[in-house]
Amino acid sequence: MNYDKTKFHFLKKDCINEFGIEKGNIIYNHSSECFENLLKENDYINNLKIRKHFLTHLFPLIAYYLTLQKFNFSKKEAYKLSFKQIRRLANIKKKRNEKLAKIPFIYYLLKFIAKKYE
């Protein structure tokens, strides 16, 4: 499965930067295969929102983590490298939210659109 439709669309570039062209491509390709296997093996509880979250956030990162372990990275190293990807995604979202915050009255508009939870 290709990572382009996930939140981790930058993973191939990061793998190449982290491990070099040859090893980075091998790790990325193996991670894509692992991602595809996770999609085939798991149930989505027939909930579209959960399915979307699995497809775009959880499975891509789990596949990357498992791939790193198969390439003889320790659990700690694999966790650190996976966490690095999470931080990158968080920074992308942070920049987007900073842009939104500059729009006057945006949060007041969001209050009317968002559902109240008690």
Side-chain angles (χ1 to χ4, degrees):
M1 179 79 183
N2 196 336
Y3 276 78
D4 290 340
K5 294 181 181 179
T6 72
K7 298 292 181 182
F8 297 95
H9 53 84
F10 46 80
L11 186 63
K12 184 173 185 175
K13 184 179 175 185
D14 285 358
C15 284
I16 291 170
N17 289 338
E18 188 78 34
F19 309 113
I21 294 172
E22 186 176 332
K23 189 175 181 181
N25 279 323
I26 291 170
I27 289 174
Y28 175 78
N29 290 334
H30 191 280
S31 184
S32 295
E33 290 173 18
C34 186
F35 179 32
E36 191 169 324
N37 290 335
L38 285 171
L39 294 176
K40 289 177 186 175
E41 295 170 1
N42 290 285
D43 183 18
Y44 304 112
I45 314 170
N46 296 326
N47 184 317
L48 292 177
K49 290 187 181 193
I50 291 174
R51 184 178 199 281
K52 182 180 178 186
H53 187 65
F54 280 0
L55 294 175
T56 59
H57 288 83
L58 294 177
F59 286 167
L61 194 61
I62 291 170
Y64 181 59
Y65 175 79
L66 294 173
T67 297
L68 291 172
Q69 285 188 322
K70 286 184 181 178
F71 279 83
N72 297 323
F73 287 88
S74 69
K75 287 183 179 184
K76 190 173 185 177
E77 290 172 318
Y79 175 80
K80 283 182 180 180
L81 289 166
S82 298
F83 190 71
K84 190 175 181 180
Q85 296 304 315
I86 293 171
R87 280 196 321 250
R88 178 150 186 220
L89 179 61
N91 285 331
I92 290 169
K93 289 185 177 196
K94 177 185 172 190
K95 289 177 185 175
R96 186 193 71 204
N97 288 338
E98 285 173 347
K99 289 177 185 176
L100 279 175
K102 291 179 182 178
I103 300 171
F105 306 110
I106 190 70
Y107 290 109
Y108 295 110
L109 292 173
L110 289 174
K111 276 174 110 175
F112 292 111
I113 297 170
K115 293 180 181 178
K116 272 191 172 182
Y117 289 99
E118 296 180 22

